[in-house]
């Protein structure tokens, strides 16, 4: 029977068959190194509740192993190992110095109060720390489905309590709040990366034309998004506000809300936060059959909720020309083949949602260097720019334009540097994937194969370098 893990392994096998790797290395890269399972009790509401959690370490060809922790009532070991493998490939594809890991706790966070979630999270963190699955040099989690910056802060604080002498303790987890040694732009990072990925695709006319688009402008493109959580909300917000896309449908757990003129994403987010779903939102028409809206007619479909939502049962009915996998593993292996046969282009998860781990990398580096980005250069740059402006004024006899002053004189802030670094990583990686997809001698079958090939070759190089 197919499963999320089998899907990821099939993608891997498919690509590896055409690579020239030393005997046995493919198997070494493919398998998950270790999975830690913990069952722990927490006294809540007058009795002891037992929780099950996992932390899978897929690869430590680079240390630390990096990957989020999700809270979900349907989490299991297969899912965690599949997600850990995706993290290995994602980090290697971006060229980050990380192995791949992932964790999960089998819990429905909406069923627990904030103070109860704190107790449960701290207890889970203790288990991870005690067994060597949490530290800045070995294993560094981040937020994922059902967790957020608050969850990460509890984990970091628990680490600090148990290891007060570790000067790099705060780098044991990323996605922390700003006041807790986080970094500007981490919360928006995955959605921002999705936006950069779509921009890069449309700015490459040869690729856009493969999906039947004339390329260029995103203005007026219709977009359907599944999941208005961290990733889906930020992607929807940036695409509608900054690129002029029309978000024509948002699918949530309780159904879908549609508006062909484009939904007001801020108003919808406020409604979802207040009511827990899209039902009752006045800015669109509601339908309880949420999953059916994946088949809506649109330019871009962005599954941003969970895995395996595009499968054999609906792949033939998908009407989008471009699927952007903001979630991890939203398309099954068979559905991927079906979509490809129908000419639908997929921007694969390991690239599309890589913005989160890219900015997590910046946060980890910031924590390890113990200095905010831009601190040493900011005033120096500002002074240099003022001198340059004065020199221009003296040389030309004209005043420096007032409207350009703010942008020219202001030194680089942390958010500017983070967005610039993320933009660069997403665009330069896309250029490499596109180059492989369009290689006249040996074209990759699609963007996913290009991404896996780039990543597996880099991991193989790391193993070869240490003589394995
Ligand atoms: P989240 O918990 O913030 O949001 C998930 C949203 O999806 C929620 O609003 C939830 O109600 C909705 N949802 C859940 N099941 C659904 C269903 N069956 N139909 C419709 N909506 C549903 O999670 P997130 O952090 O936004 O993660 C979403 C996806 O993105 C996951 O696959 C995750 O692994 C992936 N991802 C997240 C990050 C990150 O930085 N948070 C990074 C990379 C990948």
């Amino acid at each position: 029977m197919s499963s999320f893990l089998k899907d990821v392994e099939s993608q891997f096998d498919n690509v590896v068959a055409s690579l020239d790797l030393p005997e046995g290395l493919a198997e070494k890269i493919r398998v998950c190194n270790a999975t830690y399972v913990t069952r722990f009790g927490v006294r809540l509401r007058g009795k002891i509740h037992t929780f099950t959690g996992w932390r899978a370490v897929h690869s430590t060809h680079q240390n630390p192993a990096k990957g989020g922790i999700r809270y979900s009532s349907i989490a299991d070991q297969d899912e965690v190992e599949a997600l850990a493998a995706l993290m290995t490939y994602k980090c290697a594809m971006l060229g980050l110095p990380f192995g791949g890991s992932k964790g999960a706790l089998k819990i429905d966070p909406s069923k627990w109060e904030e103070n109860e979630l704190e107790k449960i999270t701290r207890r889970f963190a203790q288990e991870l720390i005690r067994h060597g699955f949490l530290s800045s040099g070995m294993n560094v989690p981040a937020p994922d489905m059902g967790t957020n910056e608050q969850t990460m802060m509890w984990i970091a604080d628990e680490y600090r309590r148990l290891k007060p002498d570790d000067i790099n303790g705060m780098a044991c987890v990323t996605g922390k709040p700003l006041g807790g040694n986080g970094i500007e732009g981490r919360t928006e990072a995955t959605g921002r990366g999705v936006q950069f990925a779509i921009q890069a695709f449309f700015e490459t006319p040869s690729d856009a034309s493969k999906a039947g688009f004339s390329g260029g402008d995103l203005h007026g493109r219709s977009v359907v998004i599944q999941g208005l959580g961290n990733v889906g909300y930020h992607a929807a917000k940036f695409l509608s506000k900054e690129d002029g896309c029309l978000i024509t449908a948002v699918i949530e757990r309780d159904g879908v809300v549609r508006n062909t003129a484009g939904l007001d994403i801020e108003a919808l987010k406020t409604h979802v936060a207040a009511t827990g779903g899209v039902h009752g939102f006045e800015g669109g028409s509601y339908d309880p059959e949420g999953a059916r809206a994946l088949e809506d007619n649109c330019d871009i479909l962005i599954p941003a909720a969970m895995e395996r939502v595009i499968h054999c049962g609906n792949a033939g009915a998908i009407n989008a020309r471009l699927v952007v996998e903001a979630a991890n593993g939203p398309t099954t292996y068979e559905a991927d083949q079906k979509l490809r046969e129908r000419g639908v282009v997929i921007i694969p998860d390991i690239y599309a949602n890589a913005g989160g781990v890219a900015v997590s990398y910046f946060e980890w580096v910031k924590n390890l260097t113990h200095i905010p980005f831009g601190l040493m250069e900011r005033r120096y740059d500002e002074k240099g720019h003022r001198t340059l402006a004065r020199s221009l004024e003296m040389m030309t006899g004209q005043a420096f334009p007032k409207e350009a002053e703010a942008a020219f004189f202001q030194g680089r802030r942390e958010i500017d540097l983070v967005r610039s670094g993320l933009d660069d990583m997403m665009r330069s990686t896309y250029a490499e994937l596109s180059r492989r997809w369009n290689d006249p001698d040996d074209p990759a079958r699609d963007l996913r194969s290009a991404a896996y090939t780039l990543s597996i070759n880099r991991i193989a190089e790391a193993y070869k370098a240490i003589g394995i």
Side-chain angles (χ1 to χ4, degrees):
M1 213 180 86
S2 95
S3 72
F4 185 12
L5 182 59
K6 286 211 176 82
D7 284 347
V8 175
E9 291 183 339
S10 300
Q11 301 289 5
F12 176 90
D13 291 343
N14 212 311
V15 167
V16 105
S18 63
L19 302 181
D20 186 22
L21 297 184
E23 202 183 341
L25 184 55
E27 179 64 6
K28 170 71 200 84
I29 296 173
R30 191 168 66 90
V31 296
C32 182
N33 284 10
T35 302
Y36 168 63
V37 189
T38 174
R39 295 174 192 89
F40 57 87
V42 186
R43 181 176 288 282
L44 297 161
R45 303 180 189 179
K47 68 170 199 163
I48 293 179
H49 294 260
T50 301
F51 297 91
T52 305
W54 298 265
R55 187 74 182 161
V57 178
H58 177 262
S59 175
T60 53
H61 70 284
Q62 302 254 28
N63 259 344
K66 189 87 188 74
I69 289 183
R70 66 168 50 172
Y71 284 3
S72 153
S73 52
I74 54 167
D76 60 27
Q77 186 164 338
D78 179 284
E79 175 186 291
V80 177
E81 291 187 359
L83 290 163
L86 289 178
M87 282 309 297
T88 297
Y89 306 136
K90 196 178 299 181
C91 293
M93 181 204 62
L94 283 184
L96 300 178
F98 294 140
S101 184
K102 201 81 180 193
L105 193 62
K106 199 175 179 69
I107 182 175
D108 179 349
S110 67
K111 298 272 187 301
W112 299 93
E113 300 294 332
E114 179 97 344
N115 67 320
E116 295 170 328
L117 280 174
E118 176 176 357
K119 269 191 179 170
I120 299 163
T121 301
R122 287 183 181 274
R123 190 66 190 78
F124 186 29
Q126 286 167 15
E127 292 302 316
L128 296 175
I129 295 162
R130 242 204 298 262
H131 293 89
F133 286 89
L134 184 75
S135 72
S136 62
M138 292 286 287
N139 199 310
V140 182
D144 194 80
M145 191 196 288
T147 56
N148 55 30
E149 56 177 35
Q150 178 63 79
T151 326
M152 298 305 116
M153 198 58 224
W154 290 328
I155 294 174
D157 190 51
E158 201 56 30
Y159 184 88
R160 185 165 48 187
R161 280 163 59 162
L162 292 178
K163 310 263 182 186
D165 58 342
D166 183 351
I167 185 70
N168 294 323
M170 279 294 128
C172 76
V173 62
T174 58
K176 302 178 293 293
L178 262 183
N181 290 285
I183 194 167
E184 301 252 18
R186 174 59 185 90
T187 307
E188 67 170 43
T190 310
R192 181 65 80 183
V194 170
Q195 177 197 28
F196 289 158
I198 295 173
Q199 288 175 350
F201 174 83
F202 276 91
E203 284 162 12
T204 314
S206 56
D207 294 354
S209 69
K210 290 185 193 188
F213 296 117
S214 52
D217 208 359
L218 275 171
H219 199 269
R221 300 275 183 215
S222 54
V223 180
V224 170
I225 296 199
Q226 183 186 40
L228 201 65
N230 177 297
V231 179
Y233 160 66
H234 286 104
K237 172 172 147 174
F238 298 140
L239 287 168
S240 56
K241 261 191 164 172
E242 298 174 10
D243 294 312
C245 289
L246 299 176
I247 314 297
T248 53
V250 168
I251 309 163
E252 258 294 331
R253 290 177 201 266
D254 65 332
V256 56
V257 62
R258 295 184 175 93
N259 186 337
T260 49
L263 292 157
D264 178 340
I265 294 302
E266 285 308 325
L268 181 57
K269 182 71 183 166
T270 306
H271 178 86
V272 171
T275 67
V278 292
H279 182 238
F281 180 64
E282 287 182 354
S285 61
Y286 172 76
D287 181 348
E289 293 290 315
R292 290 297 295 276
L294 292 167
E295 301 164 18
D296 278 8
N297 211 347
C298 63
D299 291 319
I300 308 169
L301 171 62
I302 308 182
M306 58 184 297
E307 57 278 354
R308 313 194 92 222
V309 293
I310 303 176
H311 42 72
C312 268
N314 62 6
I318 298 294
N319 269 307
R321 286 186 279 168
L322 177 67
V323 174
V324 183
E325 294 183 336
N328 282 308
T331 315
T332 65
Y333 183 68
E334 286 82 12
D336 178 271
Q337 283 177 316
K338 236 184 187 173
L339 290 178
R340 203 162 358 94
E341 281 160 20
R342 294 184 50 228
V344 178
V345 171
I346 300 176
I347 301 187
D349 49 4
I350 64 169
Y351 169 68
N353 68 36
V357 73
V359 176
S360 275
Y361 168 57
F362 304 153
E363 180 178 336
W364 181 72
V365 170
K366 174 182 169 182
N367 292 158
L368 292 179
T369 53
H370 302 272
I371 186 166
F373 286 112
L375 180 72
M376 302 293 275
E377 309 94 330
R378 186 154 176 215
R379 297 289 168 216
Y380 186 79
D381 286 350
E382 281 181 15
K383 263 189 183 169
H385 287 180
R386 283 187 192 281
T387 308
L388 181 61
R390 267 201 308 274
S391 307
L392 283 171
E393 286 178 336
M394 278 158 60
M395 284 157 63
T396 61
Q398 289 184 20
F400 195 82
K402 281 261 170 278
E403 61 277 17
E405 274 184 2
F408 190 67
F409 292 151
Q410 190 184 57
R412 295 167 292 182
R413 300 165 306 165
E414 186 171 83
I415 187 70
D416 302 324
L417 295 168
V418 165
R419 285 190 183 142
S420 157
L422 175 61
D423 194 357
D424 184 60
M425 273 194 176
M426 294 304 291
R427 273 176 218 280
S428 57
T429 303
Y430 187 82
E432 180 56 25
L433 301 188
S434 174
R435 190 191 65 72
R436 288 167 183 266
W437 195 20
N438 294 293
D439 185 340
D441 299 324
D442 184 20
R445 194 185 58 187
D446 52 14
L447 284 167
R448 196 189 309 278
S449 306
Y452 270 77
T453 307
L454 175 61
S455 155
I456 295 166
N457 278 333
R458 284 199 171 138
I459 300 166
E461 284 303 319
Y463 278 115
K464 278 187 215 157
I466 52 173
I468 290 180

